[in-house]
Amino acid sequence: MDISMASMTASAYDTAEEDFQRFFEKWRDKQIEILQKLNNASEQFSGGSGTGSGSPPVPTDPSSMVKHVVGLYEGYYRDRSKWADKNVLSMISPPWTSTLEDAFLWIGSWRPTMAIHLLYSKSGLQLEAKLSESILQEIASATTTKYDLADLSASQLGKVDELHRKIITEEKEISEKYAKQQERATDQDMVNLSHMVSEFMRGEEKGLSRRDREAEEEQIKSTLNLKEKGLRKVLKKADDLRLRTLKMVIEIMTPKQAIHFLIAATELQLRLHEWGMAKDARELDYGDAHSSYTPPEQT
Amino acid sequence: MAGLCRGANIGGETETAKPVEPSSQSARRRRMEIHQFRFVASDTAVAPPLESGRRKRQRLGSADVPSGRACDNAVQNSIVDERKIPAGPGSEKDADSNKCCPSISSSSSEIKPAVELASDVPKFGMTSVCGRRRDMEDAVSIHPSFSREVPESSTDLHFYGVFDGHGCSHVAMKCKDRMHEIVKDELERVGENDSWENKMKRSFSRMDEEVTQWSTAVGITSPCRCELRTPQCDAVGSTAVVAVVTPDKIIISNCGDSRAVLGRDGKAVPLSVDHKPDRPDELERIQEAGGRVIYWDGARVLGVLAMSRAIGDNYLKPYVISEPEVTVIDRTDEDDCLILATDGLWDVVSNETACGVARMCLQSLKPPSPVRSPGNQDATTISAARESSDKACSDASILLTKLALARHSTDNVSVVVIDLRKNRS
């Protein structure tokens, strides 16, 4: 498939955009479902009974539960890759995210090192919870259960740190590649083309010449296609690092720890989206009501 | 860039290096070797006891000593007690770890420490993580038996150093590679009968000179971040807190805001005082030298550096100096442990809490299960106890690191815990 934005008619674009929107909504629903499964699993595996009624079927052991969720993520990233072929620009600036989420985006989605920070934060919270339960002795003892993230062992912490540095390096490399692609927005082709088109427009205004609009469109399309191609490559690298990061973090953890990690990750993504949407909606309301004037202190 | 040299792997390589000798004696030797390499990592020079004299050479046989430089180019990695969980087969062995491991494993197959020798080497545990930072600028250097007391004496000296770089990592890395060699050189100078304080001050001064010469003369060839900032390489430095442990003394030399704390009889005894620009005597010294301390996100020398002493930082001389404050303290039977750490720990964990956690870990000795000592089923009780103690130190350093991360430490975190208890079972 090679439908670039420029070649689409308005209606075809709308349809693609609608599918695109649905793709995201489907994934968000999936995430809600994943969270529910993970929570059930977590309760079930920690001895309590799952919430039971109406909940989706849950794999019977932590390890296959984690595999199941990782499988879903793999599917999601396969879909992302397909959409990147069709519509890379919307993947990099997703129309479905809130301004809050946009502020935290790295090349269209979450920044890979965030996974490590999330792990440290969740692990820290669970460790502090244990400390306040004053069972420090137990944590310190050799026989840790590796049940939740407070129990990250020495070897796990070492591997996480090692992975962290690896991800930082890769992330920096991809950021550099992204920088190069962004800089290509001002390469000679673009500057020349924009000048040419501007001159045509000026000439036409003066009635000097008629524009060959078709040739012009063609040239714009091919020039922008090249840019999209470069961006697509970077996006795919970024997505690849995201999925690998997720899998590598999970690989370091025991299945039960991985469930805690996945719960934390999903909770954060879902809530961040909700908070951002709510905030945007409030500001939109406010903007409508005060369309002529927005006081500076209102942010 | 993995570079994790794990005890488990090294143990394995040792075994393949010496397939014969199936006696329990050799098994014990192997274990001793393992415990000396348990915490090796590439940004962390953990050398085996040096062949520093005749006596040692006799005991050790031919020892090909891996210096920290073997790991020179392997970038920043962490250290871990890998033996809690046996590592996945070859999972972490990439180019860097291969770069780092061979020298260590080869020496581990050559060095055959006698059991009684190892017994006077204090156990230690060490952790060094990048944490919530995007750059790793900490370095740790551990060299058991790196030197001997002069004049001619049979007591081993042990070296532990923690370095927290700023601006870039290369000064800290240089300290990791060189400081112990310089200190050794100063300590073993013939005909010198100088005080600990003077020897350590000379060592730090030489370290500082080396760093300065290296960064001005050669230019930076290593792939540092600061490449982009040349010729501003002067704006790079490192803290240094160095402990030399003898059978009856601890000598702490500190320069900067890393810290050494002694756990003694359940209490925390700080053995260094952080060099902060707003410390009254430091403030006075800086002002007398014509410098100013400006409050800009905390007290900073000339509004730049948030510590008043450091190795490197040429551009802030003479306000920022590399002269260490040296503390010499006698070891007692009440000593539990010595903790060296960077401010990644001390910013969020108090001296008392740190010592409490370490002491608790050291006291919660349990006989290790066979699972935790793979390949050593014929473990004797003595070595079992030792392993356990070693593991306790590692547990302590890990737990302190996790605590620092839990408490939102935003810096690199490096922690060394040294077991100082003299009458271990």
Side-chain angles (χ1 to χ4, degrees):
Chain A
M1 292 271 247
D2 188 17
I3 310 167
S4 67
M5 282 177 66
S7 70
M8 284 181 206
T9 63
S11 66
Y13 179 82
D14 285 348
T15 317
E17 197 68 356
E18 253 174 51
D19 286 349
F20 198 37
Q21 181 74 24
R22 258 207 301 285
F23 157 63
F24 163 68
E25 278 163 8
K26 263 164 67 186
W27 172 242
R28 198 180 44 187
D29 290 345
K30 188 71 96 187
Q31 278 193 308
I32 293 168
E33 192 186 311
I34 287 173
L35 182 58
Q36 199 183 354
K37 281 182 188 173
L38 286 167
N39 275 325
N40 286 348
S42 169
E43 282 165 27
Q44 189 183 317
F45 300 141
S46 61
S49 56
T51 48
S53 64
S55 55
V58 171
T60 46
D61 66 291
S63 148
S64 43
M65 179 72 211
V66 171
K67 265 190 206 133
H68 171 69
V69 175
V70 169
L72 294 175
Y73 270 96
E74 282 171 337
Y76 169 64
Y77 278 94
R78 270 197 302 276
D79 289 348
R80 278 181 67 90
S81 172
K82 280 182 207 151
W83 278 109
D85 289 335
K86 290 181 203 166
N87 196 350
V88 62
L89 300 181
S90 289
M91 291 298 287
I92 287 179
S93 311
W96 57 62
T97 52
S98 59
T99 49
L100 178 68
E101 290 164 286
D102 289 346
F104 297 115
L105 284 188
W106 178 76
I107 316 184
S109 189
W110 54 279
R111 186 180 272 280
T113 40
M114 282 178 168
I116 307 293
H117 286 245
L118 176 74
L119 179 61
Y120 283 153
S121 296
K122 189 67 186 179
S123 164
L125 287 168
Q126 291 185 329
L127 180 67
E128 289 280 34
K130 289 210 170 176
L131 293 181
S132 60
E133 285 165 25
S134 66
I135 52 166
L136 189 65
Q137 184 74 42
E138 198 179 301
I139 303 168
S141 77
T143 54
T144 46
T145 52
K146 297 195 187 59
Y147 175 69
D148 67 18
L149 296 170
D151 299 328
L152 278 182
S153 73
S155 89
Q156 285 178 315
L157 185 59
K159 285 179 189 169
V160 168
D161 183 56
E162 192 183 317
L163 177 62
H164 187 195
R165 299 178 198 198
K166 189 171 133 73
I167 296 170
I168 288 174
T169 312
E170 288 198 43
E171 199 181 88
K172 281 180 179 168
E173 281 166 10
I174 296 173
S175 290
E176 276 301 302
K177 290 198 165 81
Y178 189 45
K180 274 187 193 154
Q181 293 305 324
Q182 290 186 315
E183 283 164 354
R184 286 182 62 201
T186 49
D187 64 12
Q188 283 197 354
D189 287 352
M190 295 286 274
V191 173
N192 186 36
L193 184 64
S194 65
H195 178 62
M196 245 169 55
V197 172
S198 306
E199 283 296 294
F200 273 135
M201 287 164 70
R202 246 158 46 100
E204 212 172 43
E205 273 165 24
K206 291 180 188 162
L208 290 180
S209 63
R210 277 177 54 82
R211 298 160 77 184
D212 182 350
R213 284 182 187 272
E214 216 164 282
E216 194 179 294
E217 287 294 327
E218 199 53 43
Q219 201 171 352
I220 294 170
K221 192 182 111 182
S222 73
T223 306
L224 291 183
N225 268 351
L226 276 175
K227 307 295 171 245
E228 285 187 30
K229 206 173 145 193
L231 290 168
R232 186 174 299 123
K233 250 171 115 174
V234 175
L235 174 70
K236 288 194 174 185
K237 273 190 199 303
D239 270 1
D240 173 62
L241 180 59
R242 279 187 270 263
L243 181 60
R244 275 191 298 122
T245 298
L246 190 74
K247 287 161 101 172
M248 287 187 288
V249 168
I250 284 170
E251 216 166 86
I252 292 170
M253 284 181 276
T254 66
K256 285 181 180 180
Q257 290 172 331
I259 286 175
H260 283 277
F261 172 77
L262 287 167
I263 287 175
T266 318
E267 283 175 347
L268 185 59
Q269 284 179 64
L270 288 173
R271 300 296 86 82
L272 199 61
H273 180 65
E274 284 171 12
W275 300 337
M277 293 311 261
K279 199 171 152 58
D280 286 350
R282 273 201 305 277
E283 256 147 54
L284 196 65
D285 287 349
Y286 192 89
D288 286 346
H290 302 76
S291 52
S292 57
Y293 172 67
T294 308
E297 65 270 18
Q298 184 70 33
T299 50
Chain B
M1 47 167 181
L4 263 186
C5 302
R6 358 196 96 108
N9 286 345
I10 291 159
E13 286 176 39
T14 309
E15 272 178 278
T16 51
K18 318 185 291 178
V20 270
E21 283 191 294
S23 68
S24 75
Q25 168 113 34
S26 74
R28 191 181 307 144
R29 277 184 192 153
R30 206 156 58 224
R31 255 186 323 278
M32 304 314 307
E33 291 153 15
I34 288 165
H35 94 232
Q36 275 153 352
F37 296 104
R38 284 174 73 189
F39 310 102
V40 179
S42 56
D43 70 337
T44 321
V46 183
L50 280 177
E51 45 148 2
S52 52
R54 242 178 309 131
R55 171 186 142 272
K56 186 69 74 50
R57 211 167 286 133
Q58 281 160 2
R59 282 174 146 192
L60 294 177
S62 70
D64 173 21
V65 179
S67 74
R69 323 194 105 202
C71 304
D72 246 0
N73 301 319
V75 216
Q76 306 142 356
N77 277 288
S78 73
I79 336 53
V80 226
D81 173 5
E82 263 310 317
R83 307 178 81 231
K84 257 179 169 171
I85 303 175
S91 57
E92 311 292 336
K93 286 215 134 193
D94 62 13
D96 273 351
S97 68
N98 289 337
K99 201 187 297 167
C100 171
C101 284
S103 74
I104 290 167
S105 52
S106 75
S107 67
S108 75
S109 62
E110 282 167 47
I111 299 178
K112 297 172 182 172
V115 172
E116 63 270 28
L117 171 68
S119 68
D120 58 21
V121 176
K123 307 296 175 290
F124 64 91
M126 190 269 278
T127 311
S128 182
V129 299
C130 197
R132 289 191 177 82
R133 279 277 296 269
R134 287 182 71 77
D135 299 293
M136 182 61 174
E137 295 178 338
D138 281 7
V140 179
S141 163
I142 296 175
H143 297 269
S145 307
F146 82 114
S147 177
R148 287 161 62 243
E149 241 167 355
V150 281
E152 205 57 32
S153 118
S154 62
T155 49
D156 282 343
L157 307 177
H158 315 293
F159 179 98
Y160 310 87
V162 166
F163 312 100
D164 179 358
H166 49 259
C168 186
S169 61
H170 69 252
V171 172
M173 296 298 276
K174 201 79 185 155
C175 289
K176 180 205 83 178
D177 289 345
R178 284 287 295 147
M179 185 68 104
H180 67 284
E181 294 172 355
I182 295 172
V183 173
K184 176 179 157 68
D185 190 52
E186 285 295 330
L187 297 185
E188 292 176 1
R189 265 195 187 179
V190 188
E192 293 268 354
N193 199 6
D194 214 343
S195 67
W196 273 107
E197 181 171 356
N198 287 338
K199 288 174 183 171
M200 294 310 297
K201 281 183 175 171
R202 273 203 307 274
S203 301
F204 273 56
S205 166
R206 278 178 59 188
M207 185 73 242
D208 185 62
E209 277 166 31
E210 274 196 21
V211 163
T212 307
Q213 282 167 9
W214 178 71
S215 55
T216 51
V218 190
I220 310 299
T221 47
S222 59
C224 299
R225 276 186 299 132
C226 59
E227 255 182 335
L228 289 171
R229 298 187 203 164
T230 43
Q232 283 290 68
C233 257
D234 272 2
V236 178
S238 176
T239 72
V241 60
V242 168
V244 175
V245 176
T246 81
D248 53 356
K249 280 187 169 49
I250 300 165
I251 300 92
I252 298 291
S253 316
N254 179 58
C255 175
D257 61 0
S258 297
R259 194 183 304 161
V261 178
L262 174 70
R264 174 174 279 179
D265 198 15
K267 294 183 193 69
V269 183
L271 296 186
S272 67
V273 184
D274 301 355
H275 291 125
K276 288 292 188 186
D278 53 354
R279 204 178 102 177
D281 54 343
E282 288 292 284
L283 181 62
E284 200 178 322
R285 182 184 60 72
I286 292 165
Q287 284 170 343
E288 266 172 25
R292 290 178 62 195
V293 172
I294 297 165
Y295 288 78
W296 179 272
D297 186 23
R300 287 167 188 272
V301 179
L302 303 188
V304 180
L305 188 63
M307 65 190 78
S308 57
R309 300 193 189 194
I311 307 280
D313 289 303
N314 219 11
Y315 73 120
L316 288 175
K317 282 172 180 153
Y319 323 124
V320 170
I321 57 173
S322 61
E323 184 183 307
E325 284 186 297
V326 182
T327 307
V328 182
I329 189 168
D330 288 328
R331 288 175 66 176
T332 71
D333 291 339
E334 281 73 48
D335 294 350
D336 300 316
C337 61
L338 176 64
I339 304 174
L340 306 182
T342 54
D343 59 351
L345 176 75
W346 302 119
D347 281 352
V348 291
V349 177
S350 69
N351 295 355
E352 289 70 24
T353 305
C355 287
V357 167
R359 181 182 155 97
M360 194 194 61
C361 290
L362 293 183
Q363 284 174 347
S364 69
L365 283 188
K366 289 181 179 180
S369 69
V371 184
R372 237 169 282 119
S373 42
N376 294 324
Q377 282 86 350
D378 53 345
T380 63
T381 43
I382 285 180
S383 58
R386 271 203 196 98
E387 283 207 342
S388 184
S389 166
D390 222 351
K391 186 187 173 308
C393 289
S394 161
D395 280 349
S397 69
I398 283 286
L399 188 53
L400 287 172
T401 303
K402 280 162 68 175
L403 195 56
L405 291 173
R407 294 186 175 177
H408 315 286
S409 177
T410 51
D411 206 346
N412 304 144
V413 184
S414 297
V415 184
V416 177
V417 176
I418 302 145
D419 188 351
L420 292 178
R421 292 170 302 164
K422 281 187 164 172
N423 304 313
R424 270 173 261 124
S425 57

